[in-house]
Amino acid sequence: MTGLPLTLAVKELRHDWRGSLCFIAALVGVLAPMLVVLALKNGFIGTLIDRLVEDPSNRELLAVGSGAYDLEFFETIGERGDVAFIVPATRSINTVANSVRNRPKRNLERAVPLIPTAQGDPLLGDLIINKGEAALSETLAEELELAIGDTAEMIIGREIDGVSQNAIAELTVTGIVPERLYSRYAMFISLPDLLAIERFRDDRTLTPETWRDGAEEQDSYASFRLYAERLEDLRALEGALTDAGAQVRPRAENATVLLLFRKNLDILYAAVALIAAAGFWAAMAANLRGVVERQRVSFSFLDLLGLSDRARKSIPVFQSLILVGLGICVTFIIVLIILVTINAGFAGAPQQMVALLGVWDVIGTLILGFVTALTASAWAVLAIDKIGTEEVLRHA
């Protein structure tokens, strides 16, 4: 029974082919930009936001000023579930090596910040820096032409009674910190090595030959490096540290805003898509109803010929499904060309795909399109219900 209504629907669309093309163009104009934005959200935008949220630097709480934090403080804070990493620091600002050099290649960099590290450092992953070892930031490693396994020569200077003295330590490079995690020059060393450096500078009884011997753990420290387990933990952890007597501030002041944006990104996109879909649905429903009103005599004649109400009512439904199906197909072709062009233009980007549509995005679009087609045709179906044989007899 569907053969005749389907044939009539197709012939009507072919007869009014200009109107059909306009309708398909309207659907493409609404759907294509939404799918391109969705693809960018899945690709570049989503990846960028995820990287910013997961960037350890955004989870770092910086100690403000110089304090006196004892071992009990570090033990208590380190046991908290919302603390991913904490390590003592000897100063409120980074200790600085007078210079670091690559002796074989005669490359040297002056005033290199020394950052204490320990097991679990978010910037180093699973890498553990032991005494006599170091991890270099990628920028410093490239400047000095040092790679993992090479030896970096660290020079620590001091002045006693007007006489300059230098202590030298050879550190094995066991890791490189990627530039995306730490972009500045820096050398990450173990806490024992950092304590030895501070002790050499403060204790004039130590000689450049014996400066690394017997560096013991201090009773208290002036500062610390600390990272929260998650971005969501920053606010509560900041309050807990304040209660413990530590003044801190987040390195990323707008980290919570970034987190909120990621949480609401899908909701924001869904709201925009819903508004666009609602507008298209209204236009489609009005168009189909208008077609029925213009063809009242024709539908009345079909009733006179004995075509059932169900068959007559299925005509606008078939028209709606055909128009939406063609519109979606054309949209996918256009969007595919756009996405291929975008990804080709950003072939050197760090992520594999700048714009990406998943299988479920395609399936969801098809489902939404056909649900819209079926529901939008309901108004036209109701109009046919009121058209009887008297219409054609009255106009005969």
Side-chain angles (χ1 to χ4, degrees):
M1 191 62 184
T2 60
L4 181 57
L6 179 60
T7 301
L8 293 173
V10 172
K11 287 187 175 182
E12 172 60 25
L13 292 177
R14 288 174 57 187
H15 176 72
D16 188 19
W17 61 271
R18 292 182 180 86
S20 300
L21 287 179
C22 290
F23 188 86
I24 292 172
L27 176 57
V28 173
V30 172
L31 189 57
M34 296 301 301
L35 289 178
V36 172
V37 172
L38 177 61
L40 290 173
K41 183 182 79 70
N42 293 341
F44 175 75
I45 297 175
T47 301
L48 179 62
I49 293 175
D50 286 341
R51 284 184 177 179
L52 289 173
V53 170
E54 300 303 328
D55 186 350
S57 298
N58 291 329
R59 295 186 280 114
E60 185 177 8
L61 283 173
L62 301 174
V64 178
S66 182
Y69 306 106
D70 57 21
L71 299 181
E72 183 181 356
F73 168 86
F74 289 102
E75 183 178 348
T76 301
I77 298 299
E79 290 175 350
R80 290 178 58 94
D82 53 4
V83 174
F85 174 76
I86 184 170
V87 66
T90 54
R91 298 184 181 186
S92 57
I93 58 175
N94 290 330
T95 300
V96 176
N98 291 68
S99 61
V100 176
R101 67 184 178 187
N102 180 348
R103 180 183 286 272
K105 295 189 177 181
R106 298 183 179 181
N107 293 338
L108 181 142
E109 184 63 35
R110 301 184 185 278
V112 176
L114 301 174
I115 301 176
T117 186
Q119 183 176 1
D121 191 331
L123 300 185
L124 301 182
D126 296 329
L127 180 64
I128 300 175
I129 302 298
N130 298 309
K131 186 177 180 180
E133 298 176 343
L136 307 182
S137 63
E138 186 176 358
T139 51
L140 179 63
E142 290 176 352
E143 178 67 23
L144 297 178
E145 298 183 71
L146 287 170
I148 293 177
D150 293 341
T151 298
E153 193 174 73
M154 178 178 62
I155 301 172
I156 305 299
R158 70 179 182 184
E159 188 171 309
I160 297 179
D161 298 330
V163 178
S164 297
Q165 295 181 342
N166 288 327
I168 299 176
E170 292 186 344
L171 303 176
T172 302
V173 178
T174 58
I176 304 294
V177 180
E179 186 175 1
R180 64 180 177 83
L181 294 180
Y182 197 93
S183 60
R184 302 179 297 278
Y185 288 174
M187 176 181 282
F188 295 79
I189 62 175
S190 67
L191 185 59
D193 278 336
L194 186 66
L195 290 172
I197 292 169
E198 297 290 2
R199 184 164 170 257
F200 172 72
R201 284 174 168 161
D202 295 336
D203 189 350
R204 61 191 301 156
T205 64
L206 291 176
T207 67
E209 292 74 30
T210 63
W211 71 283
R212 300 184 72 187
D213 298 336
E216 299 178 356
E217 192 170 8
Q218 298 178 180
D219 294 330
S220 66
Y221 293 86
S223 189
F224 52 82
R225 287 181 62 218
L226 184 147
Y227 292 83
E229 183 69 32
R230 304 175 306 157
L231 206 59
E232 296 93 325
D233 299 326
L234 277 177
R235 192 179 298 272
L237 184 55
E238 184 177 356
L241 287 166
T242 301
D243 293 339
Q247 289 186 320
V248 295
R249 64 174 179 83
R251 178 179 289 278
E253 297 289 349
N254 296 321
T256 53
V257 176
L258 180 65
L259 182 64
L260 184 64
F261 181 73
R262 183 175 75 166
K263 285 183 177 180
N264 293 326
L265 182 60
D266 290 336
I267 298 176
L268 179 64
Y269 179 83
V272 174
L274 184 62
I275 293 172
F280 178 76
W281 182 92
M284 185 174 188
N287 180 73
L288 292 172
R289 178 61 181 258
V291 170
V292 171
E293 292 297 332
R294 291 194 301 272
Q295 300 291 334
R296 291 183 68 89
V297 175
S298 298
F299 280 104
S300 177
F301 184 67
L302 291 175
D303 186 26
L304 183 64
L305 292 176
L307 192 65
S308 67
D309 283 349
R310 182 178 179 181
R312 287 193 306 154
K313 292 176 182 178
S314 64
I315 292 175
V317 175
F318 283 133
Q319 289 178 332
S320 179
L321 290 172
I322 291 170
L323 289 173
V324 169
L326 290 174
I328 289 177
C329 290
V330 174
T331 298
F332 280 147
I333 294 172
I334 293 175
V335 169
L336 179 61
I337 295 173
I338 294 174
L339 297 189
V340 170
T341 303
I342 291 175
N343 289 319
F346 291 88
Q351 60 273 8
Q352 293 182 347
M353 301 288 281
V354 174
L356 175 66
L357 276 181
V359 175
W360 286 109
D361 297 324
V362 175
I363 294 174
T365 301
L366 291 172
I367 293 174
L368 180 62
F370 287 112
V371 168
T372 301
L374 291 173
T375 55
S377 61
W379 196 20
V381 170
L382 291 175
I384 293 175
D385 207 21
K386 299 177 181 179
I387 299 176
T389 55
E390 67 277 3
E391 295 269 349
V392 67
L393 294 176
R394 189 163 51 245
H395 290 85

